[in-house]
């Protein structure tokens, strides 16, 4: 059974462009995978604490030696990593916040980036352990940060996500960006703005059937 992990990180809900686009992706994916399963993870509805010294200590304590308190500290991390491991494909909605990823997404990344779980340092060489997966990052930005534009160097979203997930072993990643959402606050018709992005997202959801291009 193919499984899609659907992650949203925008706090805007009904007004969110990234959420509307990931929803369209999921709807199309379900239609082309009638036997598939979707796991939804709303990061704004998930209580994720910042990394602490105690959390790090628990991570580096051998599993069989962990106290009940340490196991509790890692329980959410274990759940989030299990979602990654069990899914064949990911669609992740990412609004740009201050040129980077939202804080809730960074908290999630800190929870799933764990030595021995999603990467290892076998023989001192880093090796990603999240392999054989496919990811679609649906990004919404207020301004235009496309390559060759004046503001391109301000885009830390795609380079960061590509590097981070590549480190974890995921190299089959697609980035679909809806740039210029700020125009929606200045009279731009929402349906007209979204139309080409919805078409692109829906087309991609079908063409990546079963985790294969």
């Amino acid at each position: 059974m193919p499984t899609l992990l659907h992650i949203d990180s925008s706090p805007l809900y009904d007004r969110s462009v990234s959420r509307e686009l990931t929803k369209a992706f999921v709807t199309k994916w379900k239609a082309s995978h009638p036997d598939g399963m979707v796991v939804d993870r709303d990061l704004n509805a998930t209580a994720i604490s910042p990394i602490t010294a105690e959390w790090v200590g628990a991570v580096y304590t051998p599993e069989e030696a962990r106290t009940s308190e340490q196991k509790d500290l890692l329980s959410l991390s274990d759940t989030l990593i299990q979602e990654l491991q069990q899914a064949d494909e990911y669609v992740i909605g990412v609004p740009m916040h201050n040129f980077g990823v939202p804080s809730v997404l960074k908290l999630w990344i800190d929870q799933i980036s764990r030595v021995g779980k999603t990467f290892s340092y076998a023989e001192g060489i880093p090796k990603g352990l999240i392999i054989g997966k496919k990811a679609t990052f649906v990004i919404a930005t207020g301004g235009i940060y496309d390559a060759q534009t004046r503001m391109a160097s301000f885009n830390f979203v795609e380079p960061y996500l590509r590097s981070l997930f590549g480190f974890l072993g995921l190299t089959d990643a697609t980035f679909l960006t809806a740039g210029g959402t700020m125009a929606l606050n200045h009279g731009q018709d929402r349906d007209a703005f979204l139309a080409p992005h919805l078409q692109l997202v829906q087309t991609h959801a079908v063409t990546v059937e079963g985790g294969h291009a």
Side-chain angles (χ1 to χ4, degrees):
M1 176 191 302
T3 301
L4 173 69
L5 175 60
H6 166 213
I7 296 174
D8 277 320
S9 60
S10 172
L12 297 183
Y13 287 90
D14 290 344
R15 294 190 293 120
S16 167
V17 169
S18 64
R19 282 181 182 268
E20 186 162 348
L21 294 177
T22 60
K23 181 180 178 181
F25 184 104
V26 170
T27 299
K28 202 69 173 180
W29 190 91
K30 284 181 177 178
S32 60
H33 299 78
D35 61 334
M37 180 176 71
V38 176
V39 175
D40 295 305
R41 173 61 68 178
D42 183 348
L43 298 183
N44 280 275
T46 304
I48 308 178
S49 299
I51 298 303
T52 63
E54 290 77 15
W55 188 94
V56 174
V59 166
Y60 284 94
T61 298
E63 192 166 348
E64 64 277 7
R66 286 175 188 152
T67 65
S68 58
E69 289 80 7
Q70 289 178 318
K71 292 176 182 177
D72 287 342
L73 280 174
L74 298 179
S75 61
L76 176 59
S77 174
D78 290 338
T79 296
L80 298 177
I81 289 173
Q82 186 177 52
E83 290 175 352
L84 277 177
Q85 293 171 333
Q86 293 181 344
D88 304 292
E89 187 179 341
Y90 318 135
V91 60
I92 303 176
V94 188
M96 176 186 279
H97 286 182
N98 300 314
F99 311 121
V101 301
S103 57
V104 292
L105 182 58
K106 181 57 169 64
L107 289 172
W108 175 81
I109 287 171
D110 289 343
Q111 292 288 327
I112 60 97
S113 301
R114 267 177 62 186
V115 65
K117 291 287 189 179
T118 54
F119 70 93
S120 70
Y121 276 111
E123 300 179 355
I125 301 172
K127 177 183 179 182
L129 302 178
I130 300 295
I131 57 176
K133 313 292 186 180
K134 183 183 290 287
T136 302
F137 295 93
V138 179
I139 301 168
T141 64
I144 303 293
Y145 302 92
D146 297 341
Q148 310 306 319
T149 65
R150 184 175 63 86
M151 298 291 286
S153 64
F154 286 77
N155 181 4
F156 296 97
V157 174
E158 181 175 338
Y160 171 65
L161 292 173
R162 189 180 295 278
S163 297
L164 184 283
F165 280 89
F167 177 81
L168 298 182
L170 193 154
T171 56
D172 192 350
T174 299
F175 293 82
L176 306 177
T177 300
T181 63
M182 189 186 305
L184 298 175
N185 298 327
H186 300 281
Q188 169 75 43
D189 180 77
R190 186 179 177 90
D191 290 340
F193 175 86
L194 285 172
H197 301 296
L198 284 169
Q199 182 176 5
L200 184 61
V201 163
Q202 291 167 336
T203 299
H204 187 67
V206 174
T207 57
V208 294
E209 180 175 351
H212 300 284

